[in-house]
Amino acid sequence: MNAPAPIKILTACAEKYALCCVSGEMEMQWAVDMLQNFAEQRGLVAELGQDKIQDVIAAAFIWARSLAAADEAEVEDLPSDYASQLVMQWELDDKRDRWKWTGELPPAPEVMPIEKPAYHTPQSTVDAFLFALSAGDPDRLAVWLRNHVDDAPAFARMLEAA
């Protein structure tokens, strides 16, 4: 496999550096100095001449600046209130926000029903019921059951099963 020619490497590096300079990531003077050093070290200046090296570097910067200018032109074509128009369109498309622009009443908030978890009599309460039952005192059992109304159906099922 053949290695790329030094002029191709110089061209690719010049384009990359030029893009970095146009975007503000790199100083132009530094980039040009590095490209010139590369051309000198690889013998391109001696082989092709300084004018050809400068033409390659300049072409890369012209190309990068034309790309940046095209990007700016696209941005300049947008109306000054583009962001607010975009937000308005998004809100009109969303049934929850449409009322802000149409004069409709806002939609009622969707409330998720809260499901009450099924009640289960704790084992400690079952044990206490069996203890009160084993005491053989109906009055004491009646008082105890009045304090445990939610558990009464479970106790009735227990007694029916027994």
Side-chain angles (χ1 to χ4, degrees), residues 31-52:
V32 171
D33 288 347
M34 291 298 108
L35 294 167
Q36 180 66 34
N37 288 341
F38 176 82
E40 289 171 2
Q41 290 173 356
R42 299 297 170 119
L44 291 174
V45 174
E47 181 184 336
L48 302 172
Q50 183 62 40
D51 289 342
K52 176 65 176 168

Side-chain angles (χ1 to χ4, degrees), residues 52-134:
K52 176 65 176 168
I53 301 305
Q54 287 180 351
D55 287 346
V56 169
I57 294 171
F61 278 87
I62 291 169
W63 168 77
R65 285 182 179 150
S66 69
L67 284 179
D71 287 345
E72 287 178 16
E74 288 178 14
V75 171
E76 289 175 3
D77 291 343
L78 298 176
S80 61
D81 63 340
Y82 178 72
S84 62
Q85 288 180 12
L86 190 59
V87 169
M88 179 181 78
Q89 191 58 49
W90 289 342
E91 288 180 342
L92 283 170
D93 291 342
D94 188 342
K95 65 180 182 178
R96 298 168 297 177
D97 294 325
R98 183 182 7 249
W99 63 273
K100 295 178 185 177
W101 301 96
T102 62
E104 302 169 3
L105 290 174
E110 295 179 19
V111 179
M112 299 299 293
I114 300 173
E115 293 183 23
K116 186 176 180 181
Y119 178 77
H120 297 287
T121 303
Q123 184 60 43
S124 60
T125 306
V126 171
D127 294 341
F129 169 70
L130 294 174
F131 179 76
L133 187 63
S134 68

